[in-house]
Amino acid sequence: LHSTSSQENEQVSNLKIVAAGRMKTLQLPPVFEKVIELSGKEQPKIVYIGTASFDRTDKYNLCTKAFRELECEIERLDVSETDTVPTYEEMRRLVVDWADVVVCSGGNTLHSLLRWKDVGLDLLLKEAAEKGTVLCGGSAGAGCWFHSMHSDSMRPDNTKHADVAKSELDDDELEDWEFVKISGLGLVPGPDIMAVPHFDRTGTNDMSRSDHAEQVLLETENETPGAIAFGIDNNAAFVVTGDSAMVVSGDGEATCHVVVADEETGETSTAPLVPQDEPIPIEELMLANTPATAEHLDTLGDHVETNFSIAEDLLEPPTTTTDSATEDASALNSHGGSSQENEQVSNLKIVAAGRMKTLQLPPVFEKVIELSGKEQPKIVYIGTASFDRTDKYNLCTKAFRELECEIERLDVSETDTVPTYEEMRRLV
């Protein structure tokens, strides 16, 4: 799903995933509303897969509560036990042909992935992803969509007979387990991305999930160089649409985090992601905690005293003038400028705001529209100062997009994104 063929690119473009930190978070209004929005329907058809929770009815009731209150039609697909597995044709009808949304429960991720592989449900879920069905869930139902997942599947009471384990094992035995990294379905585009649900919580083994995830990244750096983790707080959701993603906070405080490891230094760095109104490319999210290098800062420092006058050598050469014309121009310049320059000044229109967000405030935004002389002016956005980050593009152009203005984006921060001079001139 993340290679470069046209067919596979089309598959990625249809991808819709809502991965919540825990099962209950899917019921929080901001997250639930995002699921409904992505489905494109007011009452989407739901297929519930509770394999990770061993098809327990109490978990079904928890995960589908908000959908039932919305009076959505819901089908339940139980495959934990051999005698409840429907035919492959029936599973395909439900998951691929019928469902608008597939909801997967939390629980034991390793158990669910093994069962899905046994009955062929893993292939059907991938087919549903290619079709554009919304795939969502919390905890195990979040991490299963990624390349890998930080999991508590080896927890003694994370089993079918959890009550028996709790009654037969003492506290020390119940706490004697370790988190593991397991393979997922690999639907989220990009390199080896490990999902870490419950990122802001500590396991019953008294180990911080975030700390252990950092340790796992360091230990596996040789096997999967460049691997990263996306940590998902309990009350947050990581929302994937195509090759982009965004954070939705269920409570206004929880968020997601990017974790990267450096084997040479033996250190990891973690950066929180700011919830956004719109998705940005996953590749950009992966760079959220990449610091500015000393070399880069030194380069900028070398130019602090630079006089940023217009680069005359890039402009078209002026037409040849006669000596008398040159003398006339010199005379005009000595009196404050030629008529052409005066005309240029008279046409000047600049709106310089104190910060980026201020351009979205009605009085300022309306002044921009007024000066353009059009109801829906054509916009060229240049994000060089913010290194062409998509989140800054989304912020700066929000009001223009709401006005349905036509917008072209001009990225020149990196050499390989700079268009031809002719194309820049056409746009600007």
Side-chain angles (χ1 to χ4, degrees), residues 45 111 116 130 158 184 230 284-285 418:
K45 291 178 286 187
H111 165 71
W116 294 348
E130 295 166 9
N158 192 9
F230 280 127
E284 290 189 26
L285 289 177
V418 179

Side-chain angles (χ1 to χ4, degrees), residues 109 139-140 143-144 146-153 177-183 193-199 201 203 205 207-217 229-231:
T109 320
S139 189
C144 61
F146 289 75
H147 292 260
S148 60
M149 175 186 173
H150 184 266
S151 171
D152 63 357
S153 292
W177 60 275
E178 291 191 4
F179 292 112
V180 291
K181 178 184 178 182
I182 62 176
S183 297
I193 299 175
M194 179 175 72
V196 190
H198 312 288
F199 189 75
R201 294 295 187 266
N205 57 2
M207 297 179 70
S208 163
R209 288 182 181 258
S210 59
D211 289 347
H212 190 268
E214 293 176 354
Q215 179 184 329
V216 169
L217 282 184
F230 280 127

Side-chain angles (χ1 to χ4, degrees), residues 215-269:
Q215 179 184 329
V216 169
L217 282 184
L218 285 172
E219 292 174 349
T220 58
E221 178 67 15
N222 277 336
E223 305 167 16
T224 54
I228 69 166
F230 280 127
I232 309 171
D233 287 347
N234 253 18
N235 288 336
F238 188 78
V239 179
V240 178
T241 54
D243 60 0
S244 298
M246 62 185 291
V247 177
V248 175
S249 179
D251 60 8
E253 296 182 2
T255 188
C256 297
H257 311 259
V258 181
V259 187
V260 298
D262 186 336
E263 188 197 12
E264 292 183 4
T265 63
E267 296 178 351
T268 59
S269 59

Side-chain angles (χ1 to χ4, degrees), residues 384-397:
T384 321
S386 58
F387 304 94
D388 296 327
R389 285 170 47 181
T390 301
D391 58 335
K392 300 302 183 184
Y393 164 82
N394 291 338
L395 171 64
C396 292
T397 61

Side-chain angles (χ1 to χ4, degrees), residues 339-375:
S339 59
Q340 180 183 0
E341 290 170 331
N342 286 334
E343 182 181 351
Q344 292 170 352
V345 170
S346 68
N347 289 332
L348 193 63
K349 301 173 187 175
I350 294 175
V351 180
R355 60 173 183 163
M356 288 188 284
K357 285 185 178 179
T358 302
L359 277 181
Q360 314 301 308
L361 298 178
V364 180
F365 178 73
E366 290 165 6
K367 177 56 68 175
V368 173
I369 300 302
E370 174 193 325
L371 291 177
S372 76
K374 297 182 179 181
E375 293 183 358

